[in-house]
Amino acid sequence: MCYALDAIIRDAEKKGKRQGAKQGIDRTNRLIQLLLADGRQADLLKSTTDTLFQQKLFREYHI
């Protein structure tokens, strides 16, 4: 029974990681779209190396 439960837990963890990764990608892509639409290429470039700045942009755009 422990093996079955372990397998269920592992599968759930994998599914959660995939969903989380997809949400992160979707969120980042949305930020990219908005920054480009606003002509903020310099901020987009900075956000690729400065995660605190990126988080600020997520908040600014309510993403």
Side-chain angles (χ1 to χ4, degrees):
M1 176 133 160
C2 285
Y3 295 114
L5 185 55
D6 286 344
I8 291 169
I9 291 170
R10 280 193 307 275
D11 287 343
E13 287 173 343
K14 287 179 187 177
K15 183 178 178 182
K17 286 179 183 179
R18 283 192 305 270
Q19 288 175 339
K22 183 184 179 322
Q23 287 175 347
I25 290 168
D26 292 346
R27 185 179 184 212
T28 301
N29 286 340
R30 183 66 182 140
L31 179 62
I32 291 167
Q33 292 169 345
L34 293 169
L35 289 170
L36 289 175
D38 288 345
R40 295 177 65 179
Q41 290 82 357
D43 287 341
L44 174 57
L45 183 59
K46 181 178 177 182
S47 75
T48 64
T49 57
D50 185 338
T51 55
L52 292 176
F53 182 66
Q54 186 181 63
Q55 292 301 316
K56 177 182 175 257
L57 292 170
F58 283 134
R59 287 189 302 275
E60 178 182 333
Y61 281 97
H62 306 287
I63 300 174

